[in-house]
Amino acid sequence: MTTTDHPSVGPDGVEEPSSSAFYEDDDAKVKLHFGIDPHEPWPDDVPRGQDDSRWRFQDNPKLARMAELKIAFCWILTLLAGIGFAVTYVVGGQTQAEGALLAVGFLGMGVGLILWARDLLPGTEVTASRGSHNVSDRSKREAAAEALNRTIDPIARRPFLFRLLGLVGGVFGLAALFPIASLGDRPHRSLYKTAWGPGVRVVDQDNQPLKPSDIKVNGILTVFPENGIDDAQSSTVLINLGNAPFDVRPGTQGWNIGGLVAFSKICTHAGCPVGLYNSTTHQLVCPCHQSTFDVLKGCNPVFGPASRSLPQLPLAVDTEGYLISSKGYQEPVGPGFWNRA
Amino acid sequence: MSTTEERLAAQKRLKYEKAGLDAIDDRLGSSGFLQKALDKIFPDHWSFMVGEIAMYCFVVLLITGVYLALYYVPSASDIVYHPTPGHGYMPLAGQHMSEAYKSVLDITFNVRAGLIMRQMHHWAAVVFMAAIAFHLCRIFFTGAFRRPRETNWVIGLLLLLSVMLEGFSGYSLPDDLLSGTGLRVVFSIVESIPFIGSWLAFDLWGSAYPGSALIPRLFVVHEFLFPLAILGLLTVHLMIIWRQKHTDFPGPGKTETNIRGSRLWPQYAIKSGALLMVVSGVLAALGGLFQINPIWLYGPYNPFTVSAGAQPDWYVGWLDGSVRLWPHWEFRSFGHEIANPFFPGILVPGIVFTLMFAWPQIDRWIYKDHAAHNLLDRPRDKPFRTAVGVGALAFFTDLTLASGTDILGNDLHIPFERLIEILQYGVFVAPLVAGAIAYKACQALQRTGTHPIMKPVGGVLIRTADGAYHTLGDDHGGHDGNGHANGHDGNGHAVDGHAVDGHAVDGHAVDGDGSAHNPEEDITEPAVGGAGPGDA
Amino acid sequence: MTRTRKIVRRVLRGRGTGRRVLAGPAVVLALGVAAFAFMALTGGAARGADATVSTSPQDIAAGEQLYAAHCQSCHGVNGVGGTNGSPQLITAGAAAADFYISTGRMPLNNPHDQALRHHSYFDAAQTRQLVAYINALPQINHVAATGPGIPTVAPLCTSPGTPSGCVNLSDGERYFSLNCAQCHQAAGSGGMLSKGNVIPSLHNASLTQVAEAVRVGPMPMPVFGSGQLSNQQVSAIAQYVQYLHNPTNAGGLGISHFGPIAEGFVGIVLGFGILLLASRLIGNRG
C-alpha cells in the first residue's frame, strides 16, 4: 500500500482521449511535478481482472494463515465486547464500562476489517484514465444550448410578459415573507423597560426585602425588584462601598445611600451578568468578555469591549426602613441596539 | 491448490451471484452502473480520509442524536426537579428548572446508556468540526479548490457553516447555565445589527429575552433544519466528487489525465467501513471515559446567574475571542447606534467567510491560473497561498486563545488584561509573522526538495566522506553521479529556475526507466512536455 | 487538576509510542484502566475544623508569643496595624484569623501581594493559640468586638435522623451559583479577577474555611454578612463546595471541569489525533 509497490503493468495502455474540449479550450498543459518525466509510458487503463485480483499474501499461505488468525482475534474481541456491553446494560449500566466496551468492539471490528482488506483481499493499486467525465464535448454542449434556447427566444420576443412575471414574482414573494413577522412580538418599548419603578422594594433571591444595614462594607448582593425575579432585564447588584471615595456623577445625586450603590447587573456589552466584584479595586468584571467597570466612578468601563457605564438604580428607604428604588432605571439597561441612543 | 470441489463451489457461488444480479438488473438495469461503481478508483492518500472521518462523525451524530431526541423535551416551561436516590441527580433536588434541562438530566442519570449516547454525541460534534477544519486546510493548502472544483469548495463552506450552527444549536439545547449564557450573548449580537437588530432578535426568540419560544425553536432547527441541510449538501458534495473524481498528489506515473488508487470494491469500501468502525470506537472511548459538558455541575440557567469561564464549544471559540478582543467602540449619532457586538460578532465572521467563499476567485486572480487541475499543488510550490493559509490559521488560533483568556491567564500567571492586550496585537502580528515564516519555509523547501516529514520520493541522497554521492532506498544508484550532485549541492542551483519549479532532483531516482537526465533538461521539459502521449 | 493533566499526558504519550495496528484496542483498554484508577484515586476526604475559639489564658499567652515572633513586625504590637500597609487586627475577629492562618495565607512576605493558599505555617495547636490571641485583641485594646467569629457549619440532611437545622446540597447549589460561581466557576475550579488577582480553586477549602471566607471576605473577595446570606445559607454553600471537591463525574475523567475549551483540546488532540493516526494506517502514506 505504498506508492512504490504499484503494479508492474504492461505497456498496453489505452490511448488518452485527446478530444477533451475542456482541456484544449483552456490550453492547459499537463504540469510536471516532482520532476517526473511525462514521457514515461504509463498505461492509462489497466484491464480489469488482470492485475488487481492479487492479494498481499497470495503466495505465502503461512502469512495468510497468520493474518486470518489476527483478524479472527480482532473480531472475537468485538464479539466479547458486544456480549460485555449487553451484560453491562442488563445489570444496570455503567457509562465508563459501556464506553470502553463499545470502543473495544468498534475498534476490534475496524482493525479486523483493515487487516482483512490489506492482507487477504485483492486490491493492488491500479491506474486508469480519468476519461472525459468532467466535461462534455462540443456537440453535446451545443445540443444542450439549443434545447435551452427553445424557450429563451420566445421569451425574449415578449418582453412585457417577462417583466410582468418578474414584477409579480417579486411582489408575491415579498408578500409571502410577511408571516415571518408573526414569529415574535414587536420590541416596542420593552428594551427600554425594567420591572423597577418608583417605590419598588429591593429584594434578594428569595424575594425577601432588604435593609441598608444588611449589606456589609465591601459586600455585594444580587437583588431584584419585589416579585420581579423573573424579569431578565431587572437584575441588579447592590454594593456597599463603605467609606471608599465614590464619584457621584452629575444627575445621580442622592441615588446612593451612604456607601450603598446599585447598578444594573446586565453588561452593557453583550448582556452577561456582571458578577465578579473585586472589593480591593472596587471593580466589577464580566466573566464573558472581561469588560471591567469601576464602581467608584459610577461603573464607568475601564477595560474590555464595553463602552457604556452600567446604569445606576436610584436607591431610597421606605417608611419601614426597607430599600426601594426611588424611580426605575433612567436609561435602557443591557447591550446596545439600533434605536437605543 | 485448488481442488475440484473448491472449483465447483466457486462456480456455484458465481452462479448464485449472477442470479442475484440478474434479478436486480431485470428491474433496474443497474449492472452497467454497478460495474462502474465497483471498479471506480479512489486515490487513497491518508489525508484524503479526513473528509470521511468527518462524514462518519456525522453518521455517529445521526444515530446517537435520534436516540437522544426520543428523550429530550423541547420545552422551556418551569418545573421542579424531584429525583429519587439512585435515579437522578440529588444535589439539584427541589430546584426550579426548564423541562428541557430536566430531560437532559434524565438522559444523563435515569436513561440507561443515555449518558454514553449524550457524550458520544457531543464528542462526535467536537471531532466532526476538527475533521472539517483539517479537511478544509488540506483542500486549501493543496489547491484542490481550483477549477473544476470551485463548486465543491463553496458547498464545503456551506457545510462548515451549517455544522457550526448545528453544533451551536445543539450546545444550547440542554438549557444549562453555560449554554444559556451563550444564548444571551448571541441575542445581544443579533440585537446589535443596524436597522433590524432588535426586531430580528425578537423574531428569533419570540419575545423579549429569554422568553419561552427559543428552546422549542432551537429543537426544530437542530433536529430538522440543519441536519437536513447538512444531509443535502453532503449528498451534493459527494456526488460532485464522484463525478469529478478525486484529486491526487503528483507522483511517479500520475498525470492530470489519469487516476491511480484502489478500486471501490473491495479495498476502498472495506477500508472505509473500517474507518467508520474506528471513528465510532474512538468516539465511544471518548464518550465513556472523558466527561464532556457536565450540565449537572453547571446547574439550570437563570438570566441573572453566570459562571466564570463561560465559553462556547471550541469551533465557536474564535467568534467569542473576536468579541473579547474588539476594542470598546460603538457608534452613536442621529439617535441611532451601532452597538459594539455587531463588529466582532457579525462583521468579522462576515468578512472572514466572504474571503473564504471568494478564495478560488482570488487564487485564480493571483496565479493567473484558469486551467483545470486534477493533480494537487504541493504547498511549498505556492508559497504565497501557503503563507495566506498559515496566516489565517494564526489568526484563528489567536482568536480561539482569546476565548479562553480567563483560564489561560490563570494557568500562565498573566493578568487577563495583559493577555488580551497581547492577543489584540497578535491578531495583526501573528498572521504576518506566521505567514512570512511559512513563505520563507516554502522557498527553502523548494530548494532542498525534501519533504519536512516524509522521506523524499525514491530515496535519500548520501554524500560519502570522499565526496561521492549515493542514493539510498532505491535500486538504481548508478546514474546519479552528475545530475544529482549538481541538484543537491546548493551551489548556484538554489536560486535558479530549476529550484523554483519545485522539481526535486530526487525525482530522478524514481524515473523507473533508468535513463539519466541532467538538470538542464528538466527545466525545459515542463514547457514542451505537453499532456503526455495523447498530445503527441 | 494536575492529576488529570498528568493522566491525559500519559495517555497521549502512550498513544504516540506504538503505531502497530493492534495497538488500538490496547490503548482503549489502557484508557479505561486509567479512568477507573483516576476515579478511585480522587476519593476526597473532607477536613473538619473546630468551630470553638479557646479563651484560656494559656492559649492566649502562647498565641501572643507566636504573634510577637511571626506577625508583629507587620501588624504591630497588639494588632494595631503596621506602617507598611498591613491592616489592624484588633477587630479582625476569630474567623479571619483562623481563615488566614489555617489556609497558610498568613504569614505573607509582602503585604502588597495577594494572600494565597499555602501549606499552613503553623500547626493545629499553634493556630488555635494564635486565633485565641487575636480573638482576645478587642479585650486587650479595650474596644468592642466587631469581627465575625468562627462560623459553625450545619450538617447535611442525609439520613432521616439528621437534626433539624440541617442543610441540603440543592440549596447550596442555588446560593453558590448566584453568589460564588461567577468568580469561582460553577465547579469551584477558580479563575481570574481584574488586575491579575487570582480567584483560587475551592477544591482544598474545608467546610469551616469556606464559611469563614464568606463572612470575612478575604481581599479581594467581597464580604457576605448575615443580612446577605444567613448562617443556614452559608452552611449550604460550604457543604456544596465540599461536594465539589469530588463531584459526581458520571461521564468519566472530569478534565478539570474547565469547560468547552479544555474539552475541545482533548477532542482535537486525543480524539481527532488518534483518528489521524488511524487514517495514516489505512491510507497511502506516499
Side-chain angles (χ1 to χ4, degrees), chain C residues 28-56:
Chain C
V28 173
L29 285 174
L31 286 181
V33 171
F36 285 125
F38 173 73
M39 283 181 292
L41 282 172
T42 46
R47 271 191 294 147
D50 189 7
T52 56
V53 180
S54 165
T55 49
S56 80

Side-chain angles (χ1 to χ4, degrees), chain B residues 28 52 64 79 86 96 98 118 134 156 185 207 225 289 308 314 321 357 406 437 441 469 484 491 494:
Chain B
L28 298 171
E52 275 176 71
T64 53
I79 53 161
H96 285 263
S98 68
R118 188 168 86 75
F134 187 96
V185 175
S207 64
L225 204 60
L289 306 180
W314 79 268
F357 275 109
D406 33 356
I437 291 173
Y469 288 88
H484 283 175
N491 299 334

Side-chain angles (χ1 to χ4, degrees), chain B residues 152 233-245:
Chain B
N152 241 9
L233 288 166
L234 185 62
T235 309
V236 179
H237 202 64
L238 293 177
M239 281 168 68
I240 292 179
I241 290 170
W242 185 277
R243 174 79 180 156
Q244 292 182 330
K245 297 197 172 79

Side-chain angles (χ1 to χ4, degrees), chain A residues 16 22-23 33-34 48 52 89 96 117 125-128 130 133 183 186 265 270 288 307 336 339, chain B residues 39 112 147 188 203 217 243 245-246 250 257 259-261 263 267 288 304 324 330 336-337 340 372 374:
Chain A
E16 185 63 30
F22 187 70
Y23 290 113
H33 293 273
F34 281 119
R48 223 166 340 100
D52 54 352
Y89 181 86
Q96 280 66 51
E125 277 201 321
V126 290
T127 306
R130 279 183 182 269
H133 289 303
L183 280 175
R186 300 303 97 219
K265 200 185 181 183
C288 289
S307 76
N339 275 339
Chain B
D39 273 351
R112 223 181 264 189
R147 191 172 178 183
S188 305
D203 271 351
R217 284 181 187 182
R243 174 79 180 156
K245 297 197 172 79
H246 205 287
T257 51
I259 185 165
R260 193 141 69 80
R263 295 210 190 276
Q267 280 292 322
F304 47 83
R324 289 187 190 207
E330 273 185 356
H336 292 290
E337 83 173 27
N340 182 291
N374 291 320

Side-chain angles (χ1 to χ4, degrees), chain B residues 501-521:
Chain B
D501 274 345
H503 298 169
V505 181
D506 310 65
H508 287 286
V510 290
D511 275 347
D513 58 359
S515 65
H517 301 281
N518 65 45
E520 280 68 41
E521 270 177 28

